[in-house]
Amino acid sequence: FDRLEGNQIELKFLGKDSIEFHQTVDVLPKVHKLLASFCLKKAPSADIFDLIKPGDLNDYFKDVMDGLTAKVFRTYNASVTLDRLLSETDARVSDKQRRDEGREGALNNFYAVANKEVAELCNHQRAAPKNFDEQVARIDERIKKVQEEYVEIKKKGDKHRIEKKAEQLEKMEAEKRTKIELKCVSLGTSRINYNDPRITVAWCKTHDVVITKPFNKSLLSKFTWAMSCKPDWRF
């Protein structure tokens, strides 16, 4: 890491699955000072925490509380972030978006973006799919076709059909934007292993979203225990 001015540090390392983590973060002055002392007179390639092993850290945590491990902090951070983001749904998903993209479409797109923020927090990234450009090209073809249909309908002046076709076009554009935004993010890892499923269940109940959108059959079976939580449940 590099120690920067103003109690900031720049972290750059290979994380899980050899995915690079590279962020600049603010830390407490004491942490800033201690990290600098740990790196004193060490080669750039040397370990910062060379006197302890992951097992030592978890043994210490177990003395504090049964079952507490380093992963618990990561899981908590992911869940509390998702809970905070989803609590902002009404403020962040406008009435216009719900009209243009369809109520459930707008909500599902927002849910995907909230999960993206959690995945990025946990460094759950992936390489873009090999055929990603082809997938986007096919979406563009479908959008172009709908645009042509929209032009023809507009010539006929059928107000109801114009509105319906405009809604379809906006929904397709929104789905394309979401797909592009998520192309290098692995949503599954945090959703399955880090996020408390009750957050999603409560959100779906609050906003009347079909639970099979965020959770497939396999996850529904895995998270049966979470399905009875109330709509106002908070992490």
Side-chain angles (χ1 to χ4, degrees), residues 149-159 161-162:
E149 292 172 352
Y150 176 74
V151 171
E152 291 302 314
I153 292 171
K154 208 170 181 182
K155 289 178 182 177
K156 297 176 182 178
D158 187 328
K159 187 176 180 181
R161 291 184 65 197
I162 291 172

Side-chain angles (χ1 to χ4, degrees), residues 11 37 101 115-116 168 194 232:
L11 300 169
S37 68
E101 301 171 25
N115 271 271
K116 170 182 175 283
Q168 182 186 1
Y194 288 87
D232 60 353

Side-chain angles (χ1 to χ4, degrees), residues 24-136:
T24 297
V25 296
D26 294 306
V27 296
L28 295 172
K30 185 176 182 179
V31 173
H32 196 259
K33 185 176 180 180
L34 284 171
L35 284 172
S37 68
F38 295 158
C39 295
L40 193 64
K41 297 182 180 179
K42 285 183 180 176
S45 59
D47 290 337
I48 297 175
F49 305 105
D50 56 321
L51 301 180
I52 61 171
K53 298 176 181 178
D56 298 330
L57 186 61
N58 285 330
D59 287 342
Y60 171 77
F61 287 147
K62 287 172 186 174
D63 288 338
V64 177
M65 187 179 79
D66 284 341
L68 185 62
T69 66
K71 185 181 177 181
V72 172
F73 288 91
R74 186 174 167 87
T75 303
Y76 172 83
N77 204 18
S79 290
V80 77
T81 300
L82 180 64
D83 184 80
R84 175 180 58 79
L85 291 170
L86 294 184
S87 73
E88 300 169 357
T89 299
D90 288 335
R92 294 181 60 174
V93 184
S94 67
D95 290 339
K96 183 178 184 304
Q97 283 177 287
R98 297 177 201 233
R99 287 194 304 270
D100 293 345
E101 301 171 25
R103 187 192 66 84
E104 194 156 325
L107 290 171
N108 283 319
N109 285 335
F110 172 69
Y111 178 84
V113 171
N115 271 271
K116 170 182 175 283
E117 291 192 35
V118 174
E120 288 176 336
L121 177 71
C122 296
N123 202 39
H124 293 155
Q125 300 181 51
R126 65 173 183 177
K130 290 182 180 179
N131 64 339
F132 183 80
D133 290 341
E134 294 173 13
Q135 292 176 15
V136 173

